C-alpha cells in the first residue's frame, strides 16, 4: 500500500520539482539622459544675462580746418575785408609793399604743365627778405617762411590800404574798376598797367581825359588840383570826381555793369 502511494505521488513530486523556481520579471534598463541646464527663472525685476561686446574706444574725429586748405581763406581769416577773389585773380596794386600787405606768387607745376597761384601776408621786411605767413603752401598747414626779395616766383603785391579806399567808393565805381583792371594798377613786371588804347592804371585813364579833368578841377579850385595819373590813390580820387560830374560814360565797362560778378 505504501508503494502504491509512493508511485502515485511521484508524478506530482516530479512535476513540482520541475516548476519549483519562481520566474521574476526584470524591466529593461532605462537610457541615461544628459543632464540639462536648469531653466532660467526670472523674477519680476530681473533680466536675462546678455553678451556684451567689449567697449570700443571713442576716437575723436579729426579734420583740417577749412581755412588751412586754402591760401585765400586763410588770409580772409586774418583780414576779413579782403576781396572775394581766387589767388589767380588777386590784384597787383603796389610796388612798395609794407608789413601787412599781400604778396602774390606764381609756380609752375611740371605734372600738369600749368601755373598755380598762391598768396601770403608779409609779416616782416628786411633789406633782402620778406617774412611771410601762409596756408596750404605745405598741404593743409599754416607755415611761416623767409624768402628773398628777388624770388623768381613773386608776381607782385597787394596794398590792403588801397583796397579799403576802393571799398569806400560807390558800388558802381567799384564794379567799373573790377571790369577795367581787376583792381590791379601794375603788371607782373612792376610797370603801370596799360590798356589796348594806352589807358593807364587801375581806372584805365587816358592822358587826354586826365588832363581835361585836371583843368576842370583847377577851374573849380578843387584841392588837390594836381593829381598823378601814375598813382593809384590819385586815380581813385579822379575817378570819383569824374563820376560825380556825370562823366561815367567815358568808361565802356560802366555801360556793361550787368555782367560784373560779385567780388
Amino acid at each position: 500500500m505504501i508503494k502504491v502511494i509512493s508511485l502515485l505521488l511521484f508524478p506530482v513530486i516530479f512535476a513540482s520539482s520541475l516548476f519549483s523556481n519562481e520566474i521574476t520579471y526584470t524591466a529593461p534598463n532605462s537610457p541615461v539622459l544628459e543632464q540639462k541646464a536648469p531653466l532660467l527663472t526670472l523674477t519680476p525685476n530681473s533680466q536675462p544675462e546678455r553678451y556684451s561686446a567689449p567697449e570700443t574706444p571713442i576716437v575723436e574725429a579729426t579734420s583740417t580746418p577749412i581755412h588751412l586748405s586754402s591760401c585765400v581763406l586763410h588770409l580772409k581769416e586774418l583780414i576779413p575785408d579782403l576781396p572775394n577773389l581766387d589767388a589767380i585773380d588777386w590784384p597787383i596794386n603796389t610796388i612798395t609793399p609794407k608789413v601787412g600787405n599781400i604778396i602774390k606768387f606764381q609756380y609752375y607745376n611740371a605734372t600738369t604743365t600749368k601755373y598755380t597761384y598762391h598768396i601770403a601776408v608779409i609779416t616782416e621786411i628786411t633789406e633782402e627778405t620778406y617774412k611771410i605767413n601762409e596756408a596750404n603752401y605745405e598741404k593743409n598747414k599754416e607755415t611761416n617762411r623767409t624768402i628773398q626779395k628777388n624770388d623768381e616766383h613773386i608776381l607782385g603785391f597787394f596794398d590792403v590800404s588801397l583796397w579799403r579806399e576802393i571799398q569806400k567808393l560807390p558800388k558802381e565805381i567799384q564794379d567799373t574798376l573790377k571790369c577795367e583792371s581787376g583792381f590791379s594798377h601794375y603788371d607782373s613786371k612792376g610797370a603801370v598797367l596799360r590798356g589796348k588804347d594806352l589807358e593807364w592804371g587801375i581806372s584805365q585813364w587816358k592822358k587826354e581825359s586826365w588832363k581835361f579833368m585836371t583843368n576842370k578841377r583847377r577851374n573849380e579850385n578843387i584841392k588837390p588840383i594836381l593829381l598823378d595819373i601814375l598813382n593809384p590813390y590819385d586815380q581813385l580820387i579822379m575817378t570819383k570826381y569824374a563820376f560825380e560830374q556825370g562823366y561815367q560814360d567815358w568808361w565802356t565797362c560802366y555801360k556793361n555793369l550787368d555782367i560784373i560778378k560779385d567780388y
Side-chain angles (χ1 to χ4, degrees):
M1 188 66 179
I2 295 170
K3 290 181 180 180
V4 174
I5 295 171
S6 299
L7 290 173
L8 291 172
L9 292 172
F10 176 75
V12 175
I13 295 170
F14 177 76
S16 175
S17 66
L18 290 176
F19 298 99
S20 62
N21 293 330
E22 293 182 359
I23 298 174
T24 304
Y25 173 79
T26 303
N29 292 335
S30 299
V32 178
L33 300 179
E34 293 184 0
Q35 186 176 4
K36 294 184 178 180
L39 294 176
L40 181 63
T41 302
L42 299 181
T43 59
N45 294 323
S46 67
Q47 294 293 331
E49 184 178 354
R50 297 180 183 275
Y51 170 76
S52 298
E55 292 186 2
T56 303
I58 298 174
V59 179
E60 292 185 1
T62 58
S63 60
T64 303
I66 190 170
H67 70 93
L68 294 183
S69 65
S70 163
C71 59
V72 174
L73 292 180
H74 176 63
L75 293 193
K76 290 279 287 181
E77 281 261 319
L78 300 177
I79 312 171
D81 62 340
L82 291 179
N84 295 319
L85 298 170
D86 293 331
I88 188 174
D89 298 319
W90 210 259
I92 299 173
N93 62 18
T94 185
I95 55 176
T96 56
K98 301 179 179 64
V99 170
N101 286 174
I102 309 301
I103 187 168
K104 181 177 181 178
F105 299 93
Q106 181 189 65
Y107 296 98
Y108 180 72
N109 188 322
T111 303
T112 62
T113 66
K114 295 180 180 180
Y115 288 101
T116 59
Y117 297 83
H118 180 69
I119 57 175
V121 62
I122 300 172
T123 57
E124 186 177 331
I125 300 175
T126 68
E127 185 175 347
E128 297 181 349
T129 66
Y130 299 112
K131 290 186 177 182
I132 60 174
N133 175 269
E134 64 199 342
N136 210 39
Y137 178 76
E138 295 180 16
K139 188 173 179 59
N140 295 334
K141 292 183 179 179
E142 178 181 358
T143 53
N144 293 281
R145 286 191 292 151
T146 299
I147 60 172
Q148 297 296 312
K149 285 185 173 180
N150 61 357
D151 189 311
E152 64 179 357
H153 301 106
I154 296 175
L155 273 185
F157 307 92
F158 177 80
D159 181 355
V160 176
S161 296
L162 181 64
W163 172 247
R164 287 174 177 155
E165 292 301 315
I166 292 172
Q167 292 181 89
K168 296 176 184 177
L169 297 172
K171 192 173 187 304
E172 61 181 6
I173 299 180
Q174 295 185 47
D175 290 345
T176 300
L177 298 180
K178 166 64 177 175
C179 173
E180 292 287 346
S181 64
F183 303 118
S184 287
H185 188 72
Y186 297 94
D187 62 23
S188 59
K189 297 180 180 179
V192 176
L193 198 66
R194 300 300 303 273
K196 64 180 181 179
D197 293 326
L198 302 181
E199 304 95 335
W200 294 80
I202 190 170
S203 299
Q204 291 291 279
W205 275 93
K206 293 182 179 180
K207 282 193 171 180
E208 55 270 27
S209 300
W210 188 272
K211 184 177 181 179
F212 173 87
M213 205 59 63
T214 298
N215 288 332
K216 184 172 179 60
R217 288 171 62 86
R218 180 182 288 110
N219 293 336
E220 297 177 12
N221 198 29
I222 297 175
K223 305 293 179 60
I225 293 174
L226 296 178
L227 297 171
D228 183 359
I229 193 173
L230 301 181
N231 183 301
Y233 286 88
D234 284 358
Q235 283 217 4
L236 297 185
I237 294 171
M238 189 70 91
T239 303
K240 183 174 182 292
Y241 175 74
F243 269 66
E244 291 172 344
Q245 299 300 308
Y247 291 92
Q248 53 266 57
D249 284 345
W250 282 1
W251 286 270
T252 303
C253 279
Y254 173 78
K255 303 172 184 178
N256 300 320
L257 292 185
D258 58 324
I259 67 171
I260 308 302
K261 296 180 180 180
D262 291 337
Y263 44 86

